[in-house]
Amino acid sequence: MEDKLRILEDLNMMYIRQIALSLQDSNIQKKIDHEIRMRDGACKLLAACSQREQALEASKSLLTCNTRIMAYMSELQRMKEAQVMSSDAGPTDDRLPCKGKVAISDLRIPLMWKDTEYFKNKGELHRCAVFCLLQVGAEIHDTDMVIVDRTLTDICFDNTIVFSEASPGFELRVELYSCCSEEDYSTGNTPRKLASKLSSSLGRSAGKKLRVAMDPGACSPISNGGGATLLLPLPTVVGPKYHLLAHTTLSLSHVQDSFRTHDLSISGNEECSHWVPLYGSVCCRLAAQPHCMTQQMMSGCLKVKQFGGDPQSWTNVYGVLKGTNLFCYHRQEDVEANIQPAFTISINKKTRIRASEKDLHNKAQSICISNHYGGEEVTHTLSADSREDTHRWMEAFWQQFYDMSQWKQCCDDLMKIELPSPRKPTLVTSKQGSLYHEMGKTATQIAQNTFYMIHQAQPINKKSQK
């Protein structure tokens, strides 16, 4: 990860912007710029932190921002390669499946403590801060941070993470990061402390110059400006470091509208300071909602001849293709008024649809929809106003069947996904009596408010549709 971050710092942002401009897609460039601002805010907050919990939260935000930046840059490169390949191969008529929502919730990671640690409560109390990063493509989310010690039997994340534009071939990578919360993170103030001690020995004039030289300014590496010469070189970021503890990858085959257990690949060992004794599995609920199950894929005026009726009797309806049904309303206004449809025709994986020949009463070609109910075949015949409309309906039906074949079990029934509630920033306070602490707390609060204001900035608009 450190090598990737060093490469990231050396990249020329002008080159990235040129790629975005060549793709005529400024949205991903805005996302990169947004995460860079977020990263700068996290660095400032980390430098001003005087409390361990605040430093852990700031370091978590910094890791999340860096991961998102790398993901966006990889996505930008992938888009550029796809553009070059498509220009060489020419246009294609391949059918593409619809996108969908994928949600993961109720994350539980069981722990396996030694008997002496958990039952007998012996040994040194070891605490770690842990959180999860979840990624689908270039979309990355993080969970809340949880402090883990031997009093816990499971690591529980109550967050509901929703990926809104997933494809049926998605790969959801779940990464568990850990950091020892007992380490000393005050090394960032060492140069200032050293300067204060030296200034009293060197005298007022020389000491003042030394403090100015050692104080990180706007062009110092700690503020990502670069170019400053420091008496004692400072690392770009000082503070707690998170390490990858375990990971797993989930796909469409793992989607089920219930709580399931999945295997974890564990990194590290007991000798690591960030080690947490994992059982080797993760429990969660993974649900998916394809757009074909939640959105209107086709709508328009139709004439329907119901099974068993008069061969010359047609009913005028307003049809809406959504999910596993073709809803037939008396009027278009009934859809907007949320009125129950006059009747419904099933459109599922077992439905058969074919185009019928023209008859004497209809100039346009008709569509026959056949379903089996209790061993009996029931057929409805649809007729549109024109041949073009009939073709559009047929194409919508074939696309619906293709989406169902790609999303598989997700199209059997509509899975429930609860939208996550807005997350609030974590504010940690503790009572201290010294004037020095109050001054440090004020500086920390200012940096934290600045970081929160950046985090609550206007959300980036989604990519405009072509």
Side-chain angles (χ1 to χ4, degrees):
M1 190 63 182
E2 295 296 331
D3 294 336
K4 292 183 178 179
L5 295 182
R6 283 195 292 269
I7 294 174
L8 176 63
E9 294 298 336
D10 295 334
L11 284 174
N12 189 340
M13 291 307 299
M14 182 63 69
Y15 172 70
I16 300 300
R17 290 188 173 91
Q18 288 177 349
I19 296 180
L21 289 175
S22 66
L23 294 171
Q24 297 181 350
D25 182 10
S26 61
N27 184 51
I28 194 167
Q29 178 59 48
K30 290 179 181 178
K31 289 180 178 180
I32 294 176
D33 293 339
H34 174 76
E35 292 302 327
I36 289 177
R37 292 194 300 270
M38 290 287 295
R39 183 185 62 181
D40 293 341
C43 289
K44 293 177 182 178
L45 177 60
L46 190 58
C49 283
S50 61
Q51 300 179 35
R52 180 180 291 109
E53 291 80 2
Q54 291 174 333
L56 290 169
E57 285 285 353
S59 180
K60 167 179 171 289
S61 299
L62 184 61
L63 174 61
T64 304
C65 292
N66 283 327
T67 306
R68 284 175 177 160
I69 292 173
M70 295 300 298
Y72 291 147
M73 295 174 66
S74 298
E75 178 68 11
L76 196 63
Q77 185 65 28
R78 186 196 65 79
M79 293 169 59
K80 183 63 177 179
E81 293 175 357
Q83 184 189 54
V84 174
M85 294 295 293
S86 62
S87 61
D88 294 340
T92 59
D93 297 328
D94 294 338
R95 192 185 297 273
L96 298 176
C98 67
K99 301 287 188 177
K101 290 182 180 179
V102 173
I104 183 171
S105 60
D106 302 320
L107 270 168
R108 300 288 186 271
I109 302 177
L111 301 175
M112 188 173 57
W113 299 99
K114 297 179 180 178
D115 292 345
T116 55
E117 293 175 327
Y118 183 73
F119 294 103
K120 298 181 180 180
N121 199 26
K122 293 182 179 180
E124 183 181 357
L125 184 60
H126 181 66
R127 287 190 177 95
C128 285
V130 300
F131 76 98
C132 280
L133 274 186
L134 304 103
Q135 179 176 0
V136 173
E139 189 175 357
I140 297 175
H141 297 279
D142 62 329
T143 65
D144 293 331
M145 184 185 71
V146 176
I147 300 297
V148 177
D149 57 29
R150 64 189 178 203
T151 62
L152 297 180
T153 58
D154 299 89
I155 305 174
C156 301
F157 300 103
D158 297 328
N159 309 81
T160 298
I161 307 297
V162 179
F163 299 90
S164 56
E165 291 295 326
S167 63
F170 74 90
E171 290 187 346
L172 170 55
R173 182 172 174 84
V174 182
E175 296 180 338
L176 177 66
Y177 285 89
S178 176
C179 174
C180 180
S181 62
E182 302 301 322
E183 293 179 353
D184 184 15
Y185 308 129
S186 60
T187 55
N189 293 325
T190 301
R192 293 184 184 180
K193 294 178 181 178
L194 180 60
S196 299
K197 292 181 179 180
L198 290 176
S199 63
S200 60
S201 302
L202 299 176
R204 180 179 300 177
S205 178
K208 183 178 180 180
K209 294 179 181 179
L210 179 62
R211 286 194 300 271
V212 171
M214 299 182 70
D215 186 39
C219 296
S220 66
I222 201 169
S223 62
N224 293 322
T229 302
L230 300 177
L231 182 61
L232 294 178
L234 291 174
T236 304
V237 179
V238 263
K241 302 292 183 182
Y242 282 92
H243 304 271
L244 180 63
L245 187 61
H247 65 88
T248 188
T249 301
L250 306 177
S251 60
L252 184 65
S253 61
H254 299 101
V255 174
Q256 187 175 344
D257 201 4
S258 61
F259 200 67
R260 294 186 61 184
T261 302
H262 312 280
D263 293 333
L264 273 178
S265 298
I266 301 177
S267 305
N269 51 55
E270 295 183 5
E271 298 179 357
C272 301
S273 61
H274 61 276
W275 172 253
V276 174
L278 302 177
Y279 190 77
S281 61
V282 56
C283 307
C284 65
R285 178 181 179 268
L286 185 63
Q289 286 183 350
H291 291 338
C292 63
M293 295 290 290
T294 59
Q295 300 179 4
Q296 295 185 13
M297 306 308 291
M298 181 66 182
S299 62
C301 295
L302 291 170
K303 293 180 181 179
V304 180
K305 183 170 60 176
Q306 299 190 40
F307 173 79
D310 188 350
Q312 299 183 4
S313 177
W314 294 83
T315 303
N316 294 322
V317 300
Y318 185 82
V320 174
L321 178 60
K322 179 181 177 181
T324 58
N325 292 291
L326 174 63
F327 299 100
C328 299
Y329 298 86
H330 291 297
R331 298 175 302 274
Q332 182 177 356
E333 292 76 12
D334 294 346
V335 182
E336 302 171 356
N338 201 22
I339 298 176
Q340 291 294 327
F343 57 92
T344 302
I345 303 175
S346 296
I347 306 294
N348 52 51
K349 299 173 184 178
K350 297 181 180 180
T351 302
R352 294 190 298 109
I353 294 181
R354 60 182 177 84
S356 63
E357 299 295 332
K358 297 180 181 179
D359 55 30
L360 299 177
H361 305 282
N362 291 284
K363 296 181 180 179
Q365 202 172 23
S366 300
I367 301 174
C368 293
I369 303 177
S370 299
N371 289 285
H372 283 83
Y373 298 99
E376 181 182 0
E377 184 178 281
V378 178
T379 302
H380 292 81
T381 305
L382 310 181
S383 177
D385 293 335
S386 64
R387 186 178 183 87
E388 290 75 16
D389 290 342
T390 302
H391 178 73
R392 289 173 55 243
W393 275 103
M394 283 296 296
E395 180 61 27
F397 285 131
W398 292 130
Q399 181 65 44
Q400 192 78 346
F401 288 138
Y402 180 74
D403 293 338
M404 291 179 180
S405 67
Q406 297 300 302
W407 282 98
K408 299 179 180 178
Q409 74 275 15
C410 303
C411 293
D412 294 339
D413 295 294
L414 181 62
M415 299 182 183
K416 184 179 180 181
I417 292 180
E418 295 183 0
L419 295 179
S421 57
R423 294 170 61 181
K424 297 180 181 180
T426 304
L427 300 178
V428 182
T429 57
S430 61
K431 294 183 179 180
Q432 296 285 344
S434 66
L435 176 62
Y436 173 78
H437 177 79
E438 292 300 322
M439 294 172 61
K441 185 172 66 174
T442 302
T444 301
Q445 190 65 41
I446 294 174
Q448 193 171 34
N449 291 339
T450 303
F451 177 70
Y452 177 63
M453 291 173 63
I454 297 175
H455 185 68
Q456 294 295 323
Q458 184 70 22
I460 303 169
N461 296 326
K462 295 181 178 180
K463 182 166 60 173
S464 58
Q465 298 180 352
K466 292 184 179 180

